[in-house]
Amino acid sequence: QVQLVESGGGLVQAGGSLRLSCVFSGRTFSSYGMGWFRQAPGKEREFVAGLNWNGAITYYADSAKGRFTISRDNAKNTVYLQMNSLKPEDTAVYYCASTIYSDSPSLVRGYNMWGQGTQVTVSS
């Protein structure tokens, strides 16, 4: 029933910025916590950032702290990931995910629904 659609990925040089968006539909958006994950070729999906239903509580992977910012606009049913100072190691497919509640907001198993992903490629 819930659908998540990511956009905003692309090719950027190291040091550049991108803003990813994820539009949520099918249920009441403000009932859900949201997260961003990424997966590079040959690697497992890893947590990037997450936030609770109103954005008052945020979580970041160590690799994202100080560079990435997660936010949400409940009026637009959208969660964002602003990525600054991008590095080649940030290259991956980025996925948004939703959870009605999670004790493990930084783990894949803490989320119930996933988008299709958007490719981010950072060149050196």
Side-chain angles (χ1 to χ4, degrees):
Q1 191 75 22
V2 170
Q3 187 174 43
L4 304 170
V5 181
E6 302 97 332
S7 62
L11 176 64
V12 64
Q13 292 187 346
S17 299
L18 286 172
R19 189 181 73 159
L20 307 183
S21 300
C22 175
V23 178
F24 176 106
S25 64
R27 291 289 189 269
T28 302
F29 180 58
S30 60
S31 297
Y32 292 83
M34 301 294 296
W36 286 97
F37 291 75
R38 67 188 184 188
Q39 188 166 25
K43 293 188 175 182
E44 294 185 351
R45 193 166 299 186
E46 66 175 356
F47 173 76
V48 177
L51 81 182
N52 74 335
W53 69 275
N54 65 355
I57 303 172
T58 58
Y59 311 86
Y60 293 97
D62 288 342
S63 61
K65 291 178 181 177
R67 300 190 299 127
F68 295 2
T69 302
I70 188 170
S71 62
R72 68 191 296 161
D73 185 341
N74 284 352
K76 296 182 178 180
N77 287 3
T78 303
V79 62
Y80 304 96
L81 184 68
Q82 178 67 46
M83 304 187 294
N84 299 326
S85 301
L86 283 162
K87 306 173 182 178
E89 50 262 47
D90 295 318
T91 295
V93 176
Y94 283 70
Y95 299 89
C96 67
S98 64
T99 178
I100 194 71
Y101 177 81
S102 180
D103 287 331
S104 303
S106 66
L107 300 179
V108 168
R109 66 174 179 265
Y111 293 80
N112 308 115
M113 290 152 285
W114 296 82
Q116 85 289 348
T118 185
Q119 177 70 47
V120 171
T121 302
V122 184
S123 63
S124 60

